[in-house]
Amino acid sequence: MTLLELSVLGGPWAKRLDKRRRMWTTFPWHDLGAQASPIAKNAARVVWTRSAFSEIASAAAFAEIAAQLLAASAPIDLVAASGEFVVDEVLHAELSAHVANAFGGAVALDVDMTRLVRPPVSERPLMRAAELIVRTSCVGEALTVPVLKAAQKASRSSLIGAVTGQIVKDESAHAQIGAWFLDWADSQLSDADRVHLGNVAGRALVAFAPMLRGECTQSSDLGILDCASFDPLFARAVRKRVAAPLALRGIEIPQTDLQAIGLDVSRSNPPVELTA
Ligand SMILES: [Fe+2]
Ligand SMILES: [Fe+2]
């Protein structure tokens, strides 16, 4: 384990990111939410430090996805998008760290940088890519988008509003790549592959649910949702943005996994939402 630290080398390497970083200078860095309590500000330091780490983990996931897509001879535009998403995610990590600093500084976070991505268990490159994409895009990113949008709406700090707005723009594309990949791979997936991917999605949901819910608080503030708003939002997002689009592609999430995250599986599915 090691303490989370982000660094930049500068020179031509930092210059490559200049264009996107320049926009950050227009953000209202001093509007932290005048009414926010010291407790809320402290919670924001923790949440945005954790967020920096989960963005780094997302960068690692898309780097792995790009490598597996190459091994699977996937369309090059899909590979290129995954590569670009690595850049998006490292920039989100940097932006999250700046927000934590604005609220008084990042907190110390013990992380294991050697285990950012759980390796897929399949042997075929296509299925290795599919496992990673289902977990990262079809579940993780698909759930992140509505949570971020709601947090942006609820936030009383215009800095948080600007930052979450910026991040969610990228995350929407990250959530969409899953369906595009599955549609491309459709003819190469067997029934057993689809059952396996349903299990992968179910396990990812069970892993993500406490992680996302763990950040909710008693009242919505500074981009952190209150738990009473979070629960129904999360249930709706799982049904509409995760389970339904996967089911449309023959991938069913085990009922036991849906029950494990507190979803009433007796309810019928809502209309399918294909885009984030
Ligand atoms: Fe991100
Ligand atoms: Fe993302």
Side-chain angles (χ1 to χ4, degrees):
M1 297 289 247
T2 176
L3 279 181
L4 176 66
E5 261 182 58
L6 303 182
S7 63
V8 288
L9 188 58
W13 315 114
K15 246 194 173 60
R16 295 169 73 92
L17 304 175
D18 270 0
K19 202 169 151 203
R20 293 182 60 176
R21 278 194 182 131
R22 210 169 295 137
M23 186 190 292
W24 301 353
T25 60
T26 64
F27 290 171
W29 287 100
H30 297 293
D31 181 2
L32 306 181
Q35 312 302 323
S37 67
I39 292 177
K41 286 183 178 170
N42 221 31
R45 291 175 58 206
V46 176
V47 165
W48 286 92
T49 305
R50 282 201 203 130
S51 161
F53 177 64
S54 62
E55 299 286 5
I56 289 288
S58 297
F62 278 115
E64 194 58 39
I65 285 169
Q68 295 298 339
L69 285 175
L70 281 166
S73 302
I76 56 167
D77 43 4
L78 220 49
V79 177
S82 305
E84 282 178 8
F85 294 170
V86 177
V87 180
D88 290 346
E89 302 293 15
V90 292
L91 286 172
H92 295 170
E94 184 185 0
L95 196 47
S96 299
H98 285 312
V99 175
N101 279 340
F103 280 100
V107 298
L109 200 64
D110 245 346
V111 293
D112 187 347
M113 299 298 275
T114 65
R115 298 179 64 186
L116 292 173
V117 184
R118 185 200 305 215
V121 297
S122 298
E123 283 186 9
R124 278 162 62 210
L126 181 88
M127 276 302 287
R128 291 177 74 79
E131 279 188 36
L132 291 164
I133 288 179
V134 162
R135 208 191 293 154
T136 307
S137 173
C138 302
V139 178
E141 300 279 359
L143 292 175
T144 303
V145 170
V147 171
L148 276 180
K149 280 184 180 168
Q152 181 191 11
K153 238 188 213 167
S155 174
R156 281 178 274 159
S157 150
S158 48
L159 171 63
I160 301 292
V163 170
T164 45
Q166 178 63 46
I167 291 177
V168 82
K169 259 189 224 163
D170 298 330
E171 308 295 14
S172 295
H174 303 176
Q176 286 175 35
I177 200 172
W180 282 83
F181 165 81
L182 288 172
D183 290 343
W184 166 75
D186 187 59
S187 62
Q188 302 172 66
L189 296 176
S190 67
D191 289 348
D193 291 337
R194 288 178 216 275
V195 170
H196 177 61
L197 292 176
N199 291 332
V200 167
R203 276 197 299 274
L205 268 180
V206 172
F208 274 118
M211 221 185 292
L212 284 170
R213 194 182 194 284
E215 290 184 358
C216 66
T217 53
Q218 283 190 327
S219 66
S220 283
D221 211 347
L222 300 180
I224 308 164
L225 279 186
D226 65 281
C227 299
S229 312
F230 179 87
D231 288 344
L233 173 91
F234 184 75
R236 219 169 31 244
V238 169
R239 287 176 186 286
K240 282 182 68 173
R241 293 173 177 261
V242 179
L246 285 174
L248 195 68
R249 292 166 176 86
I251 298 169
E252 298 285 346
I253 297 174
Q255 301 286 303
T256 45
D257 290 330
L258 294 175
Q259 276 166 336
I261 58 166
L263 252 75
D264 176 5
V265 292
S266 61
R267 281 188 50 193
S268 60
N269 279 335
V272 175
E273 190 163 313
L274 292 175
T275 54

